[in-house]
Amino acid sequence: MPSPSLPTSPVADPGAVVAGDRWRITVLTEGLVRLEYAEDGVFEDRASTFALHRRQPVPDFRVVDQGGHLEVVTSRLRLTYDKGPFTTSGLSVAVLGAVTNYHSVWRYGQDTPDRNLGGTVRTLDEADGAIPLEPGVVGRWGYAVLDDSRSFLLTDDGWVAPREGGRTDLYVFAYGHDHAEAVRALYAVSGPQPVLPRWALGNWWSRYHPYTADEYAALLDRFAASGIPFSVAVLDMDWHVTDVDPAISSGWTGYSWNRDLFPDPGAFLDDLHARGLRVTLNVHPADGVGPHEDVYEEMCAALGLDPATREPVAFDVTDAAFLTAYFDVLHRRLEAEGVDFWWLDWQQGAHSRIAGIDPLWMLNHFHFLDAARDGRRPLTFSRYAGPGSHRYPVGFSGDTVVSWASLRFQPYVTATAANIGYGWWSHDVGGHMFGAKDDELATRWVQLGVFSPVLRLHSSNNPFMTKEPWAYAPEHAAVQTEFLRLRHRLVPYLHTMNHRAARDGVPLVTPMYHRWSRHTEAYDVPGQVAFGSELLVAAVTTPRDRAAAVAPVRAWLPDGVWVDVLTGLVYDGGRQLVLHRDLASVPVLAPAGALVPLDAAEVPADDPVEPTWLEVLVVVGADGAFTMVEDDGTGDGRDESRVARTPLRWDQAAGVLTVGPATGATGFLPAARTWTATFLSVADDVAPVATVEGAAVEPVVARTAEGHLRVTVHDVPVGAVLRVGLGAAPTLRPNDVAGRLHRLLDAAQAGYELKRRVLEVLTSDRPLHVRLSHLAALDAPPVLRAAAEEIVLARASA
């Protein structure tokens, strides 16, 4: 079997257990209890696919036993139980301090799916819009239940075993509106998300297409010439032989290079690595190993089979001997040639030769363990296999239909996946199959991909379905190119959030209600997400209005002042609103005090290594702090001796940005870096100065077209302290209402006289209510009118 194994601590501290002959209650945390019932009085202490770590610090709780029933009380919940078989009347958990006393009570057997805020789904194969989701561990009424009764078990020797039926094993999460803490409790019991390799956060190129080695090289040459970076090359199934006798195999499974397409696989892989890309190969393992495979005889020898029979070696993931040979013979020889990780494309359902054992979970688990051998940082690429799957990223969500409905569903399903701890979804950006060519749809999907956990372009085996930006009209090609560059520029921020996800239990993408759980509005914006600690993103998932040339998106801004990172428009928060964006933009909003580190290169490299030139976006108006995290790429990313941290601090009263010094394992960082501080929409009355280690230096200062101030200081040693000052208490500049209205109206497909009148009315010096009522009387197209109102009403000072 593969090694190493995941660490487990499945037996709870006896001090956390309250038990009878047939029932057992384990208080895992103040908001999480495990409830078991077994007629034979035998309880399960082995790890399950979900629960690896039931041994948690014993929380404060008290037991009130009144003979006929008992109560277990913590600071978050009150459990009431009649000590008999679990029933609706005999077992309940009340959430303390929750939404309402009436609704916030879970009762055993009471079906309340409408109260769960949703988790994720095994696959989006053939989905054309919204589909039902499996439950998560957070609920609108303060509780959620995870039924672990039918999962299978991990044995002490690292193998698996099915459960015996007839036993109830439930985990009740009773965290009220503290949704983020409920997810952290899930990680505590199930294990954390791992740290992804830095390169996994760049762009992935994937297409189901029979490339030759020369065609693939030519494609990458054109990407490079176009300034479009990619960090991962995904080869779909045509990398291997697919033209196989149907009596032997379907052709979907294969482990032998197609030499007609790739005459020298080693040289091909070496070329991809020399370009700075990592490589993953698609594998459909269900057909086993046929006699046509290069390693058929070796596989037979490993399993004691007679190759003279020419019988296929059956795939059996529940056979430890087969699984050992599966890795040793089939995969490691290809990894030795240069394959970095595997795309596990299992589509054959949840059943194996042992009842209750899910082959998808087995593949994810053991591939991940095998990928971690020799101290390497593991990565798999596969479908979701139920609670606990967050331990085996990255997720492949499946073959969606090309449609606006599919696009509209993806920000929602990506965010709700955080409710079950699944933080690293990768979708087929642009959709996989069917549908029709729609340049705008493709462009909006790329924009969503940039602000998703993993960006992977992909499409089905159709000569007309391709995702290269130059396959679209020039306007769309330019926007897609710019956003694909932006994804690589975001890697310093993304990699910090990658470490935060593993260390603090906060996925990169979360629903708004994880941070603003007591605001009703946070539940009403399914397409809006928190993208890391500093940004909110509202995906544009509808076409542009023809008259206004912008697309509307409904959003909610919490209290405070917010700046759109891409447009520079400043908003007052504390309200719901409709935002409007042209093709070149989506709402990406940062609050006062936000600090966002970026790769400063206009065209970043394919391999997103630690940059020598960094840019920090700064929103003035409130204090801010951010610690950029980098690591040397070795090990699992958790070893502090391999991690470097660079603190960024904004002092609003003093008007000073402080960068550094970098601490920790700085040996892998550039000896010196250039830093650009970009102050978003800052007022003009500032006087930038800079010091390095207290000594004055002359910065390079420039204003951008969006009104941002850029202050650049070259050659700052990584161990030094850089300070960039603007003067005391700098403010944001007023929105250029007239200029923004002119640009909006100029692009609008509307009458010239109407546009002139709208501009005159909205830029007059008359009171705001007079201007808006006059606008209403002009009979402007509805979306154009709303977009103009958005600009005027963005800030109260308008």
Side-chain angles (χ1 to χ4, degrees), residues 197-205 220 223-224 227-233 275-278 446-447 449-457 480-496 531 596-615 628 630:
R198 185 184 181 101
W199 46 259
L201 303 171
N203 299 320
W204 297 26
W205 174 257
L220 295 179
F223 279 135
I228 303 174
F230 284 93
S231 63
V232 175
R275 296 170 183 268
L277 281 78
R278 272 66 172 189
V446 169
Q447 291 168 333
V450 170
F451 296 101
S452 295
V454 172
L455 189 156
R456 177 180 51 84
L457 299 168
Q480 291 183 29
T481 297
E482 190 63 29
F483 272 83
L484 291 169
R485 292 173 182 172
L486 175 59
R487 177 67 187 200
H488 273 235
R489 295 193 64 218
L490 280 163
V491 167
Y493 177 70
L494 296 172
H495 195 46
T496 299
F531 188 69
V596 181
L598 304 173
D599 185 329
E602 183 178 348
V603 180
D606 288 327
D607 190 359
V609 297
E610 295 74 27
T612 58
W613 184 7
L614 283 154
E615 178 179 8
M628 185 176 68
E630 300 168 281

Side-chain angles (χ1 to χ4, degrees), residues 515-587:
R515 283 169 56 185
W516 291 278
S517 61
R518 296 190 178 277
H519 292 260
T520 301
E521 299 91 339
Y523 299 84
D524 294 336
V525 281
Q528 181 179 336
V529 303
F531 188 69
S533 61
E534 309 298 292
L535 301 174
L536 303 183
V537 178
V540 177
T541 58
T542 56
R544 286 173 292 178
D545 177 78
R546 185 182 181 281
V550 294
V553 54
R554 189 164 165 266
W556 171 65
L557 294 182
D559 290 338
V561 176
W562 299 80
V563 178
D564 189 303
V565 170
L566 301 183
T567 68
L569 191 59
V570 182
Y571 294 87
D572 292 325
R575 56 178 170 149
Q576 291 178 307
L577 68 172
V578 177
L579 305 174
H580 302 81
R581 295 296 183 268
D582 63 14
L583 185 71
S585 188
V586 294

Side-chain angles (χ1 to χ4, degrees), residues 33-92:
V33 290
R34 183 190 189 198
L35 307 178
E36 297 172 273
Y37 188 86
E39 282 292 343
D40 60 5
V42 177
F43 304 112
E44 187 55 72
D45 281 330
R46 289 171 290 181
S48 72
T49 54
F50 160 68
L52 303 185
H53 303 289
R54 301 189 193 99
R55 192 172 190 86
Q56 298 290 321
V58 179
D60 290 334
F61 71 96
R62 58 189 174 90
V63 178
V64 181
D65 192 336
Q66 298 182 347
H69 74 277
L70 62 80
E71 292 184 347
V72 176
V73 184
T74 76
S75 63
R76 289 186 180 269
L77 62 84
R78 180 185 299 274
L79 181 151
T80 304
Y81 176 43
D82 65 4
K83 302 184 183 179
F86 290 174
T87 64
T88 305
S89 59
L91 177 60
S92 65

